[in-house]
Amino acid sequence: MLRVGAHESIASGVYKAVNRQLDDGGNCGQIFTHSPQVWQDPNIGDDEAEQFRDLSSENDVGPWVIHSSYLVNLCTPKDDLRAKSIDSMQKEVDAAAKLDVPYVNVHLGAHTGAGVEGGLDNAASALDELEIPDGVTVLIESDAGSGTKLGGDFQHLADVLAKSDQDLDVCLDTAHMFAAGYDLSTPEAVDETMQAFDDVVGAEHLKCVHLNDSKHECGTNKDEHALIGEGYIGEEGMRAFVNHDLIEDVPLVLETPTEDGKGFAWNIDRVKKLRE
């Protein structure tokens, strides 16, 4: 079964995300547990957590992913930011366990002068400080690769998985991959890119895809999402990607914009029509 959904709001209660997902035609999805722009703890009551679990189960919506705060920087050499990042991630994996959400997604962050190897070492050791509950897995997300941000190169993902003692997996973002220089605009390019991922990281580690088109050309390191099939990846590339053998059983989560009257529902329907 095709698992496709969107990143939904938890406004007025985390369980509201389930109904929003159903309204958009999705059957899996992603949430923030709080505003991603500030340091804030998840504040999810027992009753609303139970409603979220029950509604998801009753309507066969899942898997869900929690996206960590944008402020988290696992690669940082700064002790205070590292401590805040670890604390934030611990609260996210605990919230995931409370909600029966199997995945917490996180960007590696920026090394800000520590160097690539130093940043990757920092990220792995920060992740090793987490007490990850049973049934929860941290997913390292691929990045667009601008500045000193790490995760744009598949090797960065593989290195963190190898360096860490945790059982980690990966979330690929199509717009980020494309921005980082991995072409997805033709069937041949999709084959080449996904073979590279399998060779470097291993397809068995791919547990989620953020499915987004790109408003910028391949290799620009510019992270700006476009409607499915209407960016530089385009319809041909998106069709090839969602039908690729390595994607067949991987949940697809949309973080597409709302433009020209086209929101999540339109994009989810587009993906369903592209899937052959």
Side-chain angles (χ1 to χ4, degrees):
M1 174 188 283
L2 172 61
R3 289 285 167 179
V4 59
H7 183 118
E8 299 288 0
S9 167
I10 66 164
S12 302
V14 65
Y15 60 93
K16 296 282 190 178
V18 183
N19 288 327
R20 292 183 177 112
Q21 195 67 258
L22 293 168
D23 288 344
D24 285 330
N27 59 6
C28 67
Q30 181 175 267
I31 57 172
F32 291 122
T33 62
H34 56 83
S35 170
Q37 308 285 1
V38 296
W39 294 113
Q40 185 177 336
D41 295 344
N43 182 23
I44 300 169
D46 291 343
D47 288 345
E48 61 173 314
E50 183 178 10
Q51 285 181 274
F52 177 89
R53 296 192 303 266
D54 289 348
L55 280 170
S56 295
S57 177
E58 290 165 7
N59 293 282
D60 190 26
V61 178
W64 286 96
V65 182
I66 288 175
H67 195 302
S68 64
S69 168
Y70 292 144
L71 300 182
V72 168
N73 186 346
L74 300 176
C75 294
T76 183
K78 299 175 182 177
D79 290 342
D80 57 340
L81 179 54
R82 175 185 171 89
K84 286 182 177 179
S85 297
I86 292 169
D87 179 66
S88 179
M89 283 297 295
Q90 185 63 56
K91 290 182 170 66
E92 299 288 19
V93 295
D94 289 342
K98 184 173 186 175
L99 295 169
D100 282 348
V101 168
Y103 303 121
V104 173
N105 181 77
V106 65
H107 298 267
L108 290 175
H111 68 70
T112 61
V116 172
E117 286 306 311
L120 296 175
D121 286 341
N122 290 343
S125 62
L127 289 163
D128 284 349
E129 293 198 32
L130 300 178
E131 295 182 12
I132 302 176
D134 290 342
V136 177
T137 301
V138 172
L139 304 182
I140 307 301
E141 182 178 343
S142 62
D143 198 272
S146 60
T148 66
K149 288 182 179 179
L150 300 181
D153 190 319
F154 289 158
Q155 191 62 54
H156 297 169
L157 308 177
D159 286 352
V160 172
L161 266 60
K163 290 173 183 286
S164 175
D165 293 329
Q166 304 279 16
D167 290 326
L168 306 171
D169 285 311
V170 170
C171 172
L172 288 178
D173 184 306
T174 51
H176 295 174
M177 292 160 65
F178 192 70
Y182 293 100
D183 193 5
L184 295 168
S185 62
T186 66
E188 295 77 18
V190 169
D191 282 340
E192 183 177 342
T193 291
M194 294 312 295
Q195 185 61 58
F197 175 79
D198 192 20
D199 290 344
V200 175
V201 181
E204 69 275 10
H205 288 294
L206 181 58
K207 302 301 181 185
C208 180
V209 166
H210 287 169
L211 192 69
N212 303 298
D213 211 325
S214 175
K215 289 190 176 182
H216 302 280
E217 295 181 13
C218 185
T220 58
N221 301 122
K222 293 181 178 179
D223 175 17
E224 193 174 3
H225 300 174
L227 301 172
I228 299 299
E230 298 198 1
Y232 279 94
I233 295 175
E235 183 174 332
E236 183 184 21
M238 278 292 172
R239 177 180 285 108
F241 184 84
V242 300
N243 287 289
H244 195 276
D245 289 347
L246 296 186
I247 304 301
E248 184 176 4
D249 298 319
V250 179
L252 310 175
V253 177
L254 305 179
E255 300 169 320
T256 45
T258 297
E259 295 176 344
D260 303 325
K262 300 171 181 176
F264 286 145
W266 182 91
N267 283 277
I268 289 171
D269 185 62
R270 188 82 187 270
V271 174
K272 290 176 179 177
K273 289 176 179 175
L274 291 174
R275 186 71 169 253
E276 297 168 355

